[in-house]
Amino acid sequence: MTEHRPGAWPVGTGPGPGPATAVVDDAPQSPQGPPVEVPVAEVRLVVTVDLTGRYDHHAQVSHDLYEQTRYSTDCHTAIVRLGEDALRVSSGLGSAIASRFFLVARSVEIHVPAGTRWAYVATEAQEYMRHYAADHAQLLNRTRTPG
C-alpha cells in the first residue's frame, strides 16, 4: 500500500496524469511577439424608468418604481421620467428615487413635465443622494477593522 498524506493524492490516482502518461511536446515553439492590444469601446449602461402612466395611489407609484428597477444592479446613468399623476399622488419621490439609485448609478436624470411646479423633485433627489452616500460612507468606515 502506498503512503498517503492528508491533502496528497496517491501516485497514479490523482487528478493529474500519472507517471506512466508523461506528455512530451516535440513541436517547435513559435516566437512570441509583442502583446496585441484590442481597443474596447466605452460602454455606458442606461436605465430608463417611466412613471408617466395613470396612478391613483402612492403605493402604485412605489410598486412601479420598484418593478422597473429591481433588476438594475449597476448602471452609469438612470433616467426617470415622471408624469403628472405620479407627482400628484406620490410625496417623497425624490427620496424614493435616491434610495433606488444612490449606490448603483453615477448620474441620475429626472424628467418632469414642462411648466409644472414639480421641478424641485430633481433637487430633492440630489440632496437625498448626497445624504445617503455620506451615510453609507460613514457606515463603511465604522464597520472596517483598523489597520
Side-chain angles (χ1 to χ4, degrees), residues 51-137:
L51 299 175
T52 58
R54 173 135 171 79
Y55 298 104
D56 296 322
H57 302 288
H58 171 72
Q60 293 172 325
V61 178
S62 296
H63 181 265
D64 206 11
L65 176 64
Y66 172 76
E67 284 298 318
Q68 291 185 41
T69 60
R70 72 178 179 170
Y71 296 115
S72 304
T73 57
D74 190 16
C75 63
H76 182 274
T77 304
I79 300 172
V80 182
R81 292 188 178 103
L82 301 173
E84 286 280 345
D85 285 345
L87 291 163
R88 182 179 42 80
V89 300
S90 185
S91 62
L93 265 177
S95 174
I97 292 167
S99 68
R100 295 304 292 176
F101 292 111
F102 83 99
L103 287 178
V104 297
R106 292 190 185 131
S107 108
V108 176
E109 295 179 16
I110 299 177
H111 299 202
V112 296
T116 63
R117 63 178 194 251
W118 307 106
Y120 74 89
V121 174
T123 306
E124 181 183 52
Q126 286 179 335
E127 186 70 27
Y128 276 110
M129 288 183 79
R130 279 194 295 274
H131 290 304
Y132 292 159
D135 186 50
H136 183 70

Side-chain angles (χ1 to χ4, degrees), residues 30-52:
S30 63
Q32 295 215 351
V36 177
E37 291 188 29
V38 178
V40 178
E42 183 179 347
V43 176
R44 293 186 177 194
L45 301 175
V46 177
V47 173
T48 303
V49 179
D50 186 16
L51 299 175
T52 58

